[in-house]
Amino acid sequence: MSLSPGTGDAAASGRPGPFATAPGRGPLGPRRRDRRGRGLRGPVLPPDLPGHRTRADRFDDHVLAAVERLERRWGPQLEGTEFAVEEVPPSHPAPWEHGGVPLGRYFPSDVGMPARILVYRRPVETRAVDDADLGELVRDVVVEQVAHLLAKSPEEVDPHFRG
């Protein structure tokens, strides 16, 4: 019987001694969380239930719905425009922003960069009363930013704009 080095007096005497173990290993191999043989635990909520989606995922869905709605009407003018969601706006406001926290921003295209529209998730969510109101508020923020992009009034961009 061969024992690994460092097993102490048992190796010198030739008789079996305590099992050689490395830190974090038991006598039969690596330790596992599955101590009682029940297998790995599954997700708390299956992916097909509505609770599985996070608030950020649902917010992204609202933004996508608003963009798709505008693309049906303004598709050629919105070609190449990037729409994105960020958690919060930067701590330093832009020079043209006065007052409260911005809900979205429009960045015109630059050399090598397409036009971008950002929607800030946390400020928009804090202003919404419920999920239906959140959808309308997201739509209005996207419409305002697209209006900046197209140099039109928000009412021209979307007749259902509520301001």
Side-chain angles (χ1 to χ4, degrees):
M1 166 185 255
S2 70
L3 296 173
S4 44
T7 55
D9 295 331
S13 67
R15 60 187 170 177
F19 291 104
T21 59
R25 294 180 58 96
L28 302 176
R31 290 184 190 159
R32 295 182 273 169
R33 291 182 61 135
D34 182 20
R35 288 182 16 192
R36 292 179 176 76
R38 294 188 203 118
L40 296 176
R41 294 178 182 230
V44 175
L45 288 173
D48 57 333
L49 292 179
H52 183 266
R53 297 185 45 80
T54 63
R55 284 190 310 207
D57 291 338
R58 291 190 300 265
F59 188 85
D60 291 347
D61 290 342
H62 286 300
V63 173
L64 285 174
V67 170
E68 287 172 358
R69 183 174 180 205
L70 290 174
E71 281 182 338
R72 280 186 248 132
R73 184 170 180 187
W74 301 100
Q77 289 91 339
L78 296 178
E79 190 70 34
T81 304
E82 291 182 355
F83 293 85
V85 174
E86 288 190 10
E87 289 293 308
V88 293
S91 58
H92 300 293
W96 61 87
E97 293 174 335
H98 302 286
V101 177
L103 303 180
R105 281 197 177 133
Y106 160 64
F107 295 97
S109 61
D110 200 6
V111 177
M113 295 288 295
R116 291 178 299 144
I117 293 177
L118 292 177
V119 180
Y120 298 114
R121 181 175 75 86
R122 298 296 297 269
V124 172
E125 282 181 338
T126 57
R127 286 167 176 79
V129 177
D130 57 9
D131 197 51
D133 188 42
L134 179 64
E136 291 176 12
L137 187 56
V138 166
R139 186 190 72 223
D140 286 347
V141 170
V142 172
V143 166
E144 284 178 348
Q145 302 309 316
V146 169
H148 288 298
L149 170 74
L150 301 176
K152 297 186 181 294
S153 71
E155 291 81 13
E156 287 179 87
V157 173
D158 186 4
H160 300 289
F161 178 75
R162 65 180 181 157

